[in-house]
Amino acid sequence: MSDFYKKIIENNKIWVETALEKDPNYFKDLAKGQSPPLLWIGCSDSRVPANEIIGARPGEVFVHRNIANMVVHSDMNMLSVLDYAVNVLKVKHVIVCGHYGCGGVKAAMGNDSIGIIDNWIRHIKDVYRLHQDYLDSIEDENDRFNIFVELNVKEQVFDLAKTSIVQSAWKNGQDLTLHGWTYGLNSGFVTDLKVNFSSNEDLDKVYQLKL
């Protein structure tokens, strides 16, 4: 086995010992079940760990991650996570968190073929097309990149609000709010993008389902 693999096994033992020193019942209590108040939909980037960013303990955040924190209406993985979080765990908040410097968003700004991921990145390109006039008007490439990251997050929050899962919860009077954040890799701080929904009233009427 590699030294790295041995090290992470050893790190796990140290983590368990440290947790038990603080609370002998820590893992027994965790095993009883979960009732997290938050679903986090984030990027798979290894530099964006959901729990650590917000100082949450195990059991406090239900997590779904994919390339560029996308909410794709045909993605059964994401929809299954969302359905379980909303209808079983009864989370009160869903945060879509993107991050500046996102490789998936950067790739969507270009035309290079990477492989099978091209099919996923096409969804991000669709977001660029929706805002192309504005994005193309931004002369500084880095500024355009950062704005694209933010616009992508906002569109994913809108796409969350469009799902029958979220709209059914709202119709049933469930306390559920959607949020859009970005995370700064070079600062550690999150930014609330002020796209916070707790009903479908902010959606175009064509998306407002009669359930």
Side-chain angles (χ1 to χ4, degrees), residues 4-151:
F4 171 75
Y5 187 77
K6 292 177 182 178
K7 181 63 176 177
I8 61 176
I9 293 293
E10 184 61 30
N11 285 347
N12 170 254
K13 294 177 181 178
I14 295 172
W15 175 68
V16 170
E17 292 171 356
T18 301
L20 290 175
E21 286 177 3
K22 295 179 180 178
D23 180 1
N25 294 317
Y26 183 75
F27 295 104
K28 290 181 180 179
D29 291 339
L30 273 182
K32 293 176 182 177
Q34 60 172 330
S35 56
L38 166 66
L39 167 63
W40 175 283
I41 299 178
C43 183
S44 298
D45 194 299
S46 62
R47 300 167 293 177
V48 192
N51 285 62
E52 290 188 37
I53 288 173
I54 58 175
R57 291 162 55 89
E60 293 181 336
V61 186
F62 202 60
V63 178
H64 176 76
R65 298 172 72 175
N66 60 45
I67 300 297
N69 42 268
M70 299 299 288
V71 176
V72 177
H73 72 276
S74 58
D75 180 0
M76 290 303 297
N77 187 352
M78 183 279 300
L79 290 172
S80 297
V81 171
L82 179 64
D83 182 66
Y84 189 78
V86 171
N87 292 319
V88 178
L89 298 177
K90 304 295 183 182
V91 298
K92 295 184 181 298
H93 301 273
V94 182
I95 293 174
V96 178
C97 185
H99 66 96
Y100 300 111
C102 179
V105 172
K106 184 68 172 179
M109 297 176 71
N111 298 105
D112 292 337
S113 176
I114 303 172
I116 194 171
I117 195 176
D118 294 342
N119 299 282
W120 185 259
I121 288 173
R122 198 210 72 199
H123 296 292
I124 315 172
K125 288 179 177 287
D126 289 342
V127 175
Y128 195 103
R129 178 176 55 81
L130 285 172
H131 301 277
Q132 185 167 2
D133 289 344
Y134 172 44
L135 288 168
D136 285 350
S137 71
I138 302 172
E139 295 183 3
D140 184 86
E141 185 175 351
N142 192 60
D143 289 343
R144 189 186 318 125
F145 183 15
N146 289 338
I147 294 297
F148 188 20
V149 166
E150 295 173 357
L151 290 173

Side-chain angles (χ1 to χ4, degrees), residues 36-38 85-86 89-94 166 168-179 197-199:
L38 166 66
V86 171
L89 298 177
K90 304 295 183 182
V91 298
K92 295 184 181 298
H93 301 273
V94 182
V166 169
S168 292
W170 284 336
K171 181 183 179 182
N172 294 331
Q174 191 167 332
D175 182 9
L176 179 65
T177 305
L178 313 180
H179 312 271
F197 296 154
S198 55
S199 76

